[in-house]
Amino acid sequence: YKAWLQNHHVEQPELREALARWSGSIVASVHTEVLDTAVKELALGIKQLYGEKPTVSKVPQSETFIYVGVADQLDKSFGYLDKSEIPRVGQEGYILKHVVREQHSILAVLGETDRGALYGVFHLLRLMNMGVQLEHLHIVERPRNQLRMINQWDNADGTIERGYAGHSIFFNENQIVEDMTRIKDYARLLASVGINAIAINNVNVNEVETAFISEEQLPAVAKLADVFRSYGIRLYISIHFASPMELGGLSSADPLLPEVREWWKMTAACIYDHIPDFGGFLVKADSEHRPGPFAYGRDHAEGANMLAEALEPFGGIVIWRCFVYNCMQDWRDRSTDRARAAYDHFKPLDGSFHDNVVLQVKNGPMDFQVREPVSPLLGAMNQTNQMIEFQITQEYTGQQRHLCYLIPQWKEVLEFDTHAKGKGSYVKHIGDGTLFGMKISGYAAVSNIGDDENWTGHTLAQANLHGYGRLVWNPDLTAEEIAEEWIRLTFGNEEQVVRTVADMLLASWHIYEQYTAPLGVGWMVAPNHHYGPDVDGYEYSRWGTYHFADREGIGVDRTDKSGTGYAGQYFSPNREMYNQLSSCPDELLLFFHHVPYTHKLQSGQTVIQHIYETRFTGAERAEWLIQQWTSLEGKIDPERYEQVLERLQEQAEHAKEWRDVINTYFYRKSGIADEKGRTIYR
Ligand code: GCW
């Protein structure tokens, strides 16, 4: 269960010696729940790394030791640092510093709060794992983003919506589990990469989960909150908008009715009785058949503000999702465009949300495809709190049977310049709230874990969970740095392993893109479960997800001039870039334009030849992943080696299926042969 918290035993004598100096003794003079967690984690980590448990004491017992503490409460037992020497690091930041005073040599881990100290401990353990020299250490860190959240899509019956790694670790047979061991391990993993918030149940809230906010269920929910609290993580609940009816027996859930508002206020008070630091509600409303304010002729601000008012006295927040679109569209209707929906619904409401509401916007306008443009809603509301939603679980990116390392994709999103406030208005500055000075901002991502022994089904998919946490802690880390760190912590420091696995991870998103839907058009997956190719699977459906391939060409015209006008939702010059065929990036061409198969891309290739070329290359590169992995035989423990190999083999086979289905489909539509005469089934 240890994933990246393996703390592999350090064998090299030089490293042992360098670290042995400090690893014998931990001093912690202040006690809080989270600080105690930090000390326990450090002691455990050191024991795993060096084989011996350090002593833990309130006052120094030797000349070298590790001090774990809270800067504001530095007391006399730790007189080696003056408070004035300690920079302000904020609620969650920390300082790692090697302090030499007289005969003492101390490694200090100091937070301004206990949570900061906990993150500092995990950082120190990472350094120890990676064999970094600790002499003269001086690191000052603080997270760039406020909310660093995980969304579980777990259902009370133990199933997980879009889960590919077994059953829920939270719920079983409509009960919250009693044995919290696995949940605590999960909290450790999350805290170790800086996660500070979790919504424990699916945004699609069914009957049983609706009652999580009831007097009867709250004691059990509070036990979950206890586990997460000790790791600095706040608990949130996804709620059912019609709870006043479902639970409260009212005849309406109209957000403007006094009795409905009163019901939410009472409910909030009751929640805070049980969970004093409860984070708030996550809400999917008027989306994919979920109830919401529309049923009462109210808008989303009215819905969200009602909840916000109930939570406000307790410091809670409402996280309101913007995944709102018409999922009952008629494919014959060419004027409705799902990509426009979030912007069209929410942009007009800018400025009408309470300041404890934050809108959660998916990174793209459609739904977590392997390639989408950045959502034009990001940055479009300068008077409304926004946060960004990613999907770690690989719903459309291979379902943890295919390798698809998503950090490079998210990096591109964060580095996208929205131009919302002129040049340099990067998405990462919407995420960190600085672009418009937002009170609440940050990130949420849908988790990819279940009760599988390795957490994520595919062992290498662990890297996406780790990477999400690290990236939203500091968006300026590179995908390479994050990948390398994960590999070292997970598989050890052998250079060949590090290099090879890093190459695999970093290439995998493009490889997956190459053999699946081309040029940003998306979908082309089997309906419902979304695994494997089905080019027309969504073509005549209600979901608004079309590619419009005919015998002449393919793509969705979303331009201002002749299309749905979606491109016009972007700020200049992005609007013009996407509107014009000549400047639209190749990888998004079919998202914005309908073009003939013979259209020449900026790369110089025709669209049809690009389709063939990338399918063939993608399938070959899936084979390359196997070669890379097998070169590591003997260097990775047999269990993980075999498990990953098996999945890579499945992926390579499945990539051929994708290649052939897509190639044949477009050959049949276009009648144009591959320039290189490779096999395309007719
Ligand atoms: O991606 C789609 C999924 C649904 C999911 C929905 C959402 C939780 O297919 O399973 O429901 O998005 O994000 O609400």
Side-chain angles (χ1 to χ4, degrees):
Y1 294 168
K2 290 186 228 149
W4 57 86
L5 296 181
Q6 305 269 332
N7 294 313
H8 295 106
H9 189 73
V10 178
E11 307 285 351
Q12 304 92 311
E14 331 79 74
L15 280 183
R16 289 187 67 85
E17 204 187 322
L19 298 171
R21 297 183 51 200
W22 291 292
S23 60
S25 156
I26 301 174
V27 176
S29 44
V30 184
H31 285 281
T32 71
E33 191 181 4
V34 174
L35 215 50
D36 290 349
T37 305
V39 170
K40 257 189 251 152
E41 287 294 333
L42 185 59
L44 174 70
I46 288 175
K47 167 139 200 295
Q48 289 168 337
L49 286 164
Y50 308 112
E52 269 167 59
K53 218 172 167 180
T55 59
V56 177
S57 57
K58 272 186 168 238
V59 289
Q61 294 175 334
S62 56
E63 291 177 354
T64 60
F65 58 91
I66 305 177
Y67 181 82
V68 182
V70 177
D72 276 352
Q73 296 172 38
L74 280 185
D75 60 9
K76 288 181 197 70
S77 60
F78 188 76
Y80 309 92
L81 262 186
D82 206 287
K83 268 188 211 164
S84 61
E85 285 179 67
I86 301 171
R88 305 305 290 182
V89 288
Q91 287 295 304
E92 299 178 302
Y94 54 84
I95 300 146
L96 301 180
K97 190 171 184 183
H98 178 206
V99 185
V100 185
R101 286 284 188 283
E102 290 146 26
Q103 74 277 37
H104 292 283
S105 170
I106 306 140
L107 265 185
V109 182
L110 296 173
E112 225 171 275
T113 68
D114 50 7
R115 282 178 297 145
L118 176 66
Y119 298 135
V121 157
F122 280 119
H123 191 150
L124 181 61
L125 284 169
R126 285 200 289 274
L127 298 178
M128 290 179 162
N129 267 281
M130 298 196 285
V132 173
Q133 180 60 254
L134 301 177
E135 194 85 40
H136 309 305
L137 187 69
H138 191 186
I139 292 174
V140 180
E141 274 258 356
R142 60 194 300 170
R144 302 281 176 83
N145 297 295
Q146 204 187 110
L147 274 171
R148 304 180 303 279
M149 185 173 201
I150 284 289
N151 290 175
Q152 297 298 135
W153 282 359
D154 295 36
N155 301 312
D157 65 6
T159 59
I160 303 175
E161 181 146 354
R162 311 305 176 187
Y164 310 106
H167 265 68
S168 173
I169 63 166
F170 292 84
F171 312 117
N172 193 26
E173 295 182 357
N174 292 328
Q175 303 282 333
I176 294 175
V177 298
E178 269 169 30
D179 180 355
M180 300 271 161
T181 321
R182 191 78 196 255
I183 295 170
K184 184 173 164 212
D185 280 336
Y186 187 41
R188 298 179 62 213
L189 285 173
L190 296 182
S192 76
V193 291
I195 299 299
N196 63 3
I198 187 166
I200 53 163
N201 61 304
N202 189 358
V203 290
N204 291 326
V205 183
N206 300 310
E207 198 184 327
V208 180
E209 304 91 35
T210 301
F212 283 169
I213 54 174
S214 68
E215 185 79 67
E216 297 72 48
Q217 290 283 321
L218 278 166
V221 179
K223 284 194 191 140
L224 287 174
D226 291 344
V227 175
F228 285 108
R229 182 182 306 107
S230 65
Y231 281 87
I233 301 169
R234 270 187 166 197
L235 185 130
Y236 291 68
I237 296 178
S238 299
I239 56 110
H240 191 287
F241 191 79
S243 297
M245 298 160 79
E246 304 282 320
L247 276 184
L250 302 187
S251 57
S252 168
D254 182 345
L256 296 193
L257 277 183
E259 59 269 34
V260 172
R261 300 170 86 85
E262 201 40 48
W263 187 87
W264 280 111
K265 283 184 183 155
M266 271 167 36
T267 302
C270 178
I271 296 172
Y272 281 89
D273 272 349
H274 291 271
I275 310 169
D277 61 346
F278 179 64
F281 297 144
L282 172 61
V283 195
K284 173 175 180 177
D286 290 316
S287 163
E288 300 184 332
H289 312 294
R290 312 318 296 174
F294 287 168
Y296 310 96
R298 312 298 182 196
D299 67 30
H300 279 212
E302 289 165 323
N305 290 344
M306 165 193 61
L307 299 172
E309 250 174 61
L311 295 170
E312 202 269 336
F314 310 97
I317 65 170
V318 176
I319 301 176
W320 192 272
R321 293 177 88 230
C322 295
F323 186 58
V324 178
Y325 68 100
N326 176 5
C327 66
M328 298 292 281
Q329 198 182 320
D330 186 336
W331 60 269
R332 300 166 191 85
D333 161 21
R334 294 290 292 261
S335 65
T336 306
D337 179 6
R338 170 165 165 183
R340 294 187 56 117
Y343 184 102
D344 285 344
H345 279 294
F346 286 93
K347 164 82 180 162
L349 299 176
D350 191 16
S352 44
F353 291 92
H354 284 194
D355 70 356
N356 62 329
V357 176
V358 53
L359 298 185
Q360 182 166 307
V361 185
K362 285 191 181 183
N363 64 270
M366 295 298 275
D367 196 7
F368 302 132
Q369 300 300 292
V370 66
R371 175 77 67 172
E372 282 186 46
V374 166
S375 170
L377 188 59
L378 291 170
M381 302 177 78
N382 58 23
Q383 300 171 70
T384 305
N385 296 317
Q386 289 195 333
M387 62 193 286
I388 298 156
E389 178 176 336
F390 290 126
Q391 193 184 43
I392 309 175
T393 194
Q394 292 170 240
E395 176 176 0
Y396 294 99
T397 49
Q399 305 199 350
Q400 284 138 249
R401 311 210 65 84
H402 293 228
L403 178 62
C404 191
Y405 185 56
L406 291 164
I407 314 309
Q409 186 200 47
W410 301 336
K411 271 298 275 191
E412 282 195 16
V413 173
L414 300 186
E415 296 300 332
F416 180 75
D417 190 348
T418 65
H419 289 269
K421 220 173 131 186
K423 202 168 157 39
S425 305
Y426 300 108
V427 169
K428 64 182 175 188
H429 295 141
I430 296 159
D432 68 21
T434 56
L435 191 64
F436 297 117
M438 288 311 164
K439 192 176 145 206
I440 312 172
S441 59
Y443 296 84
V446 183
S447 176
N448 63 347
I449 69 110
D451 71 354
D452 275 5
E453 173 125 10
N454 68 359
W455 295 97
T456 49
H458 200 310
T459 295
L460 301 185
Q462 292 171 3
N464 283 326
L465 182 62
H466 163 272
Y468 164 71
R470 299 292 289 126
L471 183 66
V472 303
W473 177 276
N474 178 5
D476 290 334
L477 291 172
T478 64
E480 290 76 10
E481 286 169 320
I482 297 175
E484 179 174 331
E485 177 189 292
W486 177 77
I487 299 161
R488 290 184 185 278
L489 299 176
T490 306
F491 292 112
N493 289 311
E494 164 125 29
E495 289 310 316
Q496 193 198 339
V497 174
V498 175
R499 261 182 295 111
T500 308
V501 179
D503 288 349
M504 292 172 67
L505 291 178
L506 294 166
S508 61
W509 171 44
H510 280 149
I511 295 176
Y512 190 79
E513 180 177 27
Q514 283 183 313
Y515 56 77
T516 57
L519 296 165
V521 75
W523 309 97
M524 301 194 176
V525 288
N528 306 321
H529 60 73
H530 301 161
Y531 190 69
D534 184 347
V535 181
D536 284 337
Y538 274 107
E539 198 55 18
Y540 304 97
S541 72
R542 302 177 274 112
W543 300 93
T545 46
Y546 317 114
H547 55 65
F548 301 123
D550 59 22
R551 63 181 187 165
E552 312 292 344
I554 174 173
V556 190
D557 185 350
R558 293 191 163 106
T559 62
D560 289 325
K561 219 170 164 187
S562 50
T564 66
Y566 165 81
Q569 293 182 338
Y570 289 90
F571 291 92
S572 270
N574 292 334
R575 178 186 298 164
E576 292 75 16
M577 170 179 72
Y578 291 135
N579 263 318
Q580 285 158 26
L581 201 47
S582 57
S583 56
C584 183
D586 282 352
E587 72 261 14
L588 288 171
L589 186 77
L590 303 181
F591 194 94
F592 286 98
H593 297 272
H594 185 91
V595 295
Y597 295 114
T598 51
H599 171 79
K600 263 219 169 84
L601 296 168
Q602 292 178 26
S603 70
Q605 243 170 12
T606 60
V607 166
I608 191 73
Q609 191 55 30
H610 172 94
I611 292 177
Y612 297 150
E613 201 61 56
T614 43
R615 285 342 81 180
F616 285 117
T617 319
E620 274 165 28
R621 296 189 77 210
E623 292 284 348
W624 171 85
L625 289 172
I626 301 179
Q627 288 158 22
Q628 294 302 297
W629 186 253
T630 48
S631 76
L632 301 178
E633 188 169 7
K635 296 190 185 298
I636 295 210
D637 56 283
E639 203 185 320
R640 287 190 293 180
Y641 175 82
E642 286 302 330
Q643 198 262 346
V644 170
L645 181 59
E646 198 190 291
R647 299 232 163 176
L648 292 174
Q649 282 162 343
E650 177 183 337
Q651 173 177 5
E653 272 315 298
H654 204 219
K656 289 183 204 148
E657 178 72 5
W658 270 100
R659 174 194 68 195
D660 293 337
V661 169
I662 302 262
N663 281 346
T664 296
Y665 179 94
F666 286 104
Y667 174 72
R668 287 180 184 168
K669 280 260 145 125
S670 70
I672 303 171
D674 170 35
E675 282 168 11
K676 297 190 184 157
R678 288 162 290 196
T679 304
I680 294 180
Y681 299 87
R682 309 210 148 187

